[in-house]
Amino acid sequence: MYHAVVVIFLEFFAWGLLTTPMLTVLHETFSHHTFLMNGLIQGVKGFLSFLSAPLIGALSDAWGRKSFLLLTVFFTCAPIPLMRLSPWWYFAMISVSGIFSVTFSVIFAYVADVTQEHERITAYGLVSATFAASLVTSPAIGAYLSASYGDNLVVLVATLVAVVDICFILLAVPESLPEKMRPASWGASISWEQADPFASLKKVRKDSTVLPICITVFLSYLPEAGQYSSFFLYLRQIIGFGSASIAAFIAVVGILSIIAQTVFLSILMRSIGNKNTVLLGLGFQILQLAWYGFGSQSWMMWAAGAVAAMSSITFPAISALVSRNAESDQQGVVQGIITGIRGLCNGLGPALYGFIFFLFHVELNELTPDQTSGKKAMQGAIIPGPPFLVGACIVLLAFLVALFIPEHSKASSTRKHSNSISSTLSNDLDRSTEEDIEPLLQDSSV
């Protein structure tokens, strides 16, 4: 499992180094409507991830995880060296790289291969905490290198980290999918239905267990994706944070997220259960977004950041819930569906936040903040951050939907049911019964 942790850490550490240079290049390339262009780029990338995630998940179920880890990490990091060489090609590659930017779905399927069900929530929490850990120091290191030696060195270091990650996968990461679970011939078990993300959504619609989970993921991650795309610009322009303060903010929230996803997540899972842990995480997210929306002072952002760290338990808890409801040979499929939905949110979230900022005349075009004018603008604004308040309302809907997620693991109950009737019914009748019980998780074609 620690191979998966290293892969995630190196990939997002490389991108974390580019936090400050990314803002600079974005502004230099799109001097007008910077914020909206950022939303468009992230939107295209997210929509492509939505289209490709189910196929890549299904392919990894059939052909193994290692090759797809290599593929996703390589193409996700491919735009990095282009940042200073050709900014236009850099942003074009970021958009196109969305086809393969689904590392998390392959990683979670990898972890599911090598852990037992009762160990999985801890493992998912460790992976998510590693993502947070990669962002604890990398933005600060990137900001320091950029200020001292220029952006070119930062891009070079990030590129070298990405190369190390790719070499690590090639030379050190073992295959997690057992040989007996792979098809005898190349492409034997892959159909067009698995490549169609909308077909997967149709399957989800018929499944009483996975449907509320997917709706919860969509409604909770939509505002989170919009927040990620705009929050650092918002802190710099509206609240008045400098580069050092932004790096410190990311580090502190990252450290608190690690603690939440390793210590608190395990305690909560044992004490209140999987579903209630998801509900608690959504509650923290509502509070965090509302605080961001109404907050106008620096200390308010820091306090809301602490709450945001606690809300980070939601995704690993949801991933564990999905994994419990999937067969061992379908982990890639269901994790791919979840990642695809998150990819769709990565497309819609930035566009939603950009549109709301535009409606409320909150301008984020200038790179150097005018703190005086920003404070004057906030004095006349009842709600300094309208998109965050809208996001809190959306997450409230996610909380209401999550109340209808079943408590028990339907995959395990279905397996028991199949074993009990297999001795008395024919194979055809047995297969049709399973399909009626669980159309997504028991469909043989999936």
Side-chain angles (χ1 to χ4, degrees):
M1 195 197 75
Y2 292 99
H3 292 93
V5 167
V6 173
V7 170
I8 284 292
F9 179 86
L10 291 176
E11 177 181 334
F12 288 98
F13 186 88
W15 279 105
L17 289 171
L18 300 176
T19 302
T20 298
M22 175 78 162
L23 295 176
T24 304
V25 174
L26 188 67
H27 184 263
E28 289 176 352
T29 308
F30 307 106
S31 57
H32 301 288
H33 307 297
T34 307
F35 187 76
L36 294 178
M37 288 303 300
N38 178 56
L40 178 61
I41 292 166
Q42 298 298 329
V44 173
K45 179 181 178 181
F47 188 70
L48 291 177
S49 297
F50 164 71
L51 294 177
S52 66
L55 174 61
I56 292 179
L59 290 175
S60 74
D61 280 338
W63 299 338
R65 317 294 185 198
K66 180 175 178 176
S67 57
F68 287 94
L69 272 180
L70 183 63
L71 194 69
T72 55
V73 171
F74 176 82
F75 281 100
T76 300
C77 296
I80 291 176
L82 297 174
M83 175 178 277
R84 300 307 299 180
L85 296 176
S86 175
W88 281 97
W89 276 107
Y90 168 72
F91 290 114
M93 279 294 294
I94 283 184
S95 299
V96 176
S97 70
I99 298 174
F100 297 100
S101 296
V102 290
T103 307
F104 262 106
S105 67
V106 183
I107 284 290
F108 279 142
Y110 187 102
V111 170
D113 293 339
V114 298
T115 56
Q116 300 297 320
E117 184 176 307
H118 67 278
E119 303 170 327
R120 216 159 278 163
I121 182 62
T122 302
Y124 286 159
L126 182 59
V127 171
S128 297
T130 302
F131 166 71
S134 68
L135 299 177
V136 169
T137 56
S138 55
I141 294 173
Y144 171 76
L145 292 176
S146 177
S148 302
Y149 305 101
D151 289 347
N152 289 338
L153 180 63
V154 182
V155 173
L156 177 61
V157 173
T159 303
L160 292 176
V161 172
V163 170
V164 170
D165 196 10
I166 293 169
C167 292
F168 178 78
I169 297 173
L170 275 173
L171 302 176
V173 174
E175 178 55 61
S176 65
L177 193 67
E179 189 72 33
K180 62 182 180 180
M181 296 179 64
R182 300 180 218 170
S185 61
W186 185 260
S189 59
I190 302 301
S191 65
W192 168 247
E193 185 179 6
Q194 291 168 283
D196 182 4
F198 300 100
S200 300
L201 293 181
K202 291 176 184 176
K203 292 287 183 182
V204 166
R205 188 179 60 187
K206 300 176 183 177
D207 194 297
S208 60
T209 301
V210 180
L211 177 61
I213 295 176
C214 289
I215 295 175
T216 300
V217 170
F218 179 80
L219 292 175
S220 63
Y221 196 70
L222 181 66
E224 188 173 339
Q227 174 187 323
Y228 284 155
S229 71
S230 62
F231 191 58
F232 299 142
L233 280 173
Y234 181 80
L235 285 179
R236 175 177 285 194
Q237 297 305 117
I238 306 303
I239 306 301
F241 276 41
S243 296
S245 298
I246 291 175
F249 183 89
I250 296 172
V252 171
V253 174
I255 292 171
L256 294 177
S257 297
I258 294 170
I259 297 172
Q261 294 171 13
T262 53
V263 179
F264 289 109
L265 181 61
S266 298
I267 295 173
L268 290 171
M269 286 293 294
R270 288 195 300 267
S271 58
I272 65 177
N274 202 157
K275 175 183 174 179
N276 289 331
T277 302
V278 172
L279 293 172
L280 184 62
L282 292 174
F284 280 119
Q285 188 179 358
I286 294 170
L287 178 59
Q288 160 221 335
L289 287 169
W291 211 333
Y292 283 154
F294 287 111
S296 58
Q297 304 295 326
S298 296
W299 70 267
M300 296 180 178
M301 298 297 106
W302 285 98
V307 178
M310 283 303 299
S311 73
S312 66
I313 65 175
T314 304
F315 183 56
I318 286 179
S319 297
L321 198 60
V322 170
S323 181
R324 287 173 53 202
N325 287 278
E327 300 290 350
S328 59
D329 60 344
Q330 296 166 342
Q331 294 292 332
V333 172
V334 294
Q335 297 295 350
I337 291 172
I338 296 299
T339 302
I341 292 173
R342 285 166 62 93
L344 184 62
C345 293
N346 281 329
L348 298 176
L352 174 66
Y353 270 49
F355 181 68
I356 296 174
F357 274 126
F358 175 76
L359 284 180
F360 284 83
H361 306 291
V362 180
E363 294 295 335
L364 300 176
N365 289 334
E366 296 301 324
L367 189 65
T368 304
D370 184 350
Q371 297 185 22
T372 304
S373 62
K375 291 179 179 179
K376 286 181 180 178
M378 283 191 296
Q379 287 175 358
I382 300 176
I383 306 174
F388 303 109
L389 195 59
V390 173
C393 296
I394 295 174
V395 178
L396 179 59
L397 295 177
F399 183 91
L400 297 176
V401 172
L403 292 173
F404 295 95
I405 297 175
E407 292 278 2
H408 61 284
S409 173
K410 292 190 71 175
S412 59
S413 64
T414 302
R415 285 194 292 270
K416 293 177 183 177
H417 178 76
S418 300
N419 292 334
S420 66
I421 66 175
S422 60
S423 60
T424 58
L425 297 179
S426 66
N427 289 335
D428 292 341
L429 180 58
D430 184 56
R431 184 161 55 252
S432 65
T433 302
E434 289 182 7
E435 291 175 358
D436 289 341
I437 294 172
E438 202 66 62
L440 171 66
L441 303 180
Q442 294 296 324
D443 192 320
S444 60
S445 67
V446 178

